[in-house]
Amino acid sequence: TACSSKYVLSQMHPMWQGPLAVPGGDRQSPIDIVVRKSVFDSKLKPLETEYDPQTCQQIWNNGYSFLVEYDDTTDKSTLKGGPLQDKFRLCQFHFHWGESNAWGSEHTVDRRLFPAELHLVHWNSDKYSLFEEAVMEDNGLAVIGVFLKVGKRHEGLQKLVDALPAIRHKDSIVEFTRFDPGCLLPANTDDYWTYHGSLTTPPLTESVTWIVMKQHIEVSHDQLAVFRSLLFTSAEEEVQKSMVNNFRVQQPLRGRTVRSSFT
Ligand SMILES: O=C1NC(=O)[C@@H](c2ccccc2)S1
Ligand SMILES: [Zn+2]
């Protein structure tokens, strides 16, 4: 589906309607979340996710991360509530991780790094009809960020981990069905931080309402090691490069306020 980063518009694309606060903009992501500077907002609602595992389609290596893609042609897997006014459709989820357990996340909390971060990418289906349109607009995307910590094995993640050896190289893709992304959310989804930011990979458009979960999930050391067995490089390339450290560096806050749904 078009929501994977490979199809995200580049600045050369004819649909590109002029600069939408391109890199060096004033609402880039990721950021460090300074807990004591976040502002509690009692108007923030609990998140409402309705994910249909039947809409899960494929898993593929796009040369930067691995994406699990969902059928986003209908409102079957949706996100609403939280800081959002509209209904958003899940199009894919993916992760960012490090070469060691000491780092890997894109966001940090009081400068604390996590070994990995899950991103569930949704687009505003009340206002737009395609991901490619939404990706250009202020209120176009909503991404849920969940931190991963190394600890006990995550049973729900294992089905995904078992599929990774089949997509070791860039551009490899396999069918992947009946996966409920809800199993990757922490038990408590009422406590989160939210702020206006951007995609963390090109075209870095400033169209994302970020929802970063306060509670992390745990995965085992071995499960994370399988992430690191993926390759940035395609099967044809001579030099194989391990897919690790696929995160963007932190960006300046530029006066933005990070709101919290909890005190
Ligand atoms: O949260 C994000 N993580 C990424 O890799 C970026 C992205 C870019 C295009 C599509 C989906 C996601 S934005
Ligand atoms: Zn991401």
Side-chain angles (χ1 to χ4, degrees):
T1 58
C3 73
S4 45
S5 53
K6 180 170 157 188
Y7 298 105
V8 174
L9 304 180
S10 65
Q11 301 205 18
M12 285 70 79
H13 194 284
M15 269 179 63
W16 185 259
Q17 318 295 338
L20 185 94
V22 291
D26 53 5
R27 48 172 285 199
Q28 289 288 294
S29 293
I31 60 169
D32 175 47
I33 295 167
V34 182
V35 174
R36 70 188 183 294
K37 288 191 179 163
S38 63
V39 177
F40 170 64
D41 180 348
S42 59
K43 293 190 300 303
L44 288 171
K45 301 185 181 68
L47 291 189
E48 294 173 60
T49 56
E50 278 187 40
Y51 293 144
D52 177 356
Q54 299 299 336
T55 58
C56 188
Q57 292 183 318
Q58 63 265 344
I59 185 170
W60 70 292
N61 177 332
N62 73 346
Y64 185 68
S65 182
F66 64 90
L67 314 179
V68 177
E69 293 189 312
Y70 285 75
D71 168 19
D72 61 355
T73 55
T74 67
D75 262 350
K76 279 242 187 73
S77 290
T78 59
L79 163 66
K80 60 190 176 68
L84 307 170
Q85 307 308 322
D86 298 320
K87 179 180 280 194
F88 287 68
R89 225 175 256 180
L90 174 70
C91 60
Q92 54 107 323
F93 70 80
H94 62 273
F95 298 80
H96 303 263
W97 60 91
E99 65 194 279
S100 90
N101 292 337
W103 65 83
S105 61
E106 296 213 302
H107 291 90
T108 50
V109 180
D110 290 342
R111 292 282 166 213
R112 176 183 178 190
L113 288 153
F114 292 83
E117 185 173 332
L118 159 66
H119 288 160
L120 295 137
V121 182
H122 312 74
W123 55 274
N124 188 329
S125 57
D126 279 347
K127 290 204 164 59
Y128 310 108
S129 48
L130 283 174
F131 172 84
E132 290 92 334
E133 285 170 44
V135 78
M136 318 262 283
E137 307 295 335
D138 268 12
N139 56 2
L141 303 182
V143 181
I144 297 176
V146 182
F147 294 116
L148 275 62
K149 267 185 76 178
V150 176
K152 65 183 188 314
R153 180 182 141 106
H154 193 296
E155 291 311 325
L157 186 73
Q158 195 53 38
K159 175 178 174 176
L160 191 154
V161 168
D162 290 339
L164 296 184
I167 58 162
R168 201 155 173 257
H169 290 99
K170 179 178 182 222
D171 293 334
S172 45
I173 182 166
V174 291
E175 188 187 45
F176 191 71
T177 56
R178 289 184 300 285
F179 185 83
D180 172 15
C183 83
L184 298 176
L185 292 173
N188 169 10
T189 57
D190 290 350
D191 293 356
Y192 57 83
W193 293 283
T194 184
Y195 77 98
H196 292 291
S198 73
L199 295 180
T200 62
T201 61
L204 302 170
T205 41
E206 297 180 337
S207 54
V208 181
T209 297
W210 277 96
I211 300 167
V212 179
M213 291 293 133
K214 178 188 177 196
Q215 193 176 57
H216 61 268
I217 60 170
E218 277 192 23
V219 303
S220 71
H221 175 89
D222 291 354
Q223 288 179 314
L224 212 42
V226 180
F227 283 23
R228 300 188 187 105
S229 72
L230 292 171
L231 300 169
F232 281 130
T233 44
S234 59
E236 295 72 43
E237 295 176 65
E238 291 75 50
V239 181
Q240 303 289 346
K241 281 179 277 179
S242 291
M243 184 180 276
V244 294
N245 303 329
N246 55 356
F247 52 83
R248 188 189 193 197
V249 295
Q250 313 230 304
Q251 303 298 310
L253 195 55
R254 290 272 185 277
R256 284 174 285 178
T257 298
V258 177
R259 290 181 291 158
S260 65
S261 67
F262 60 97
T263 52

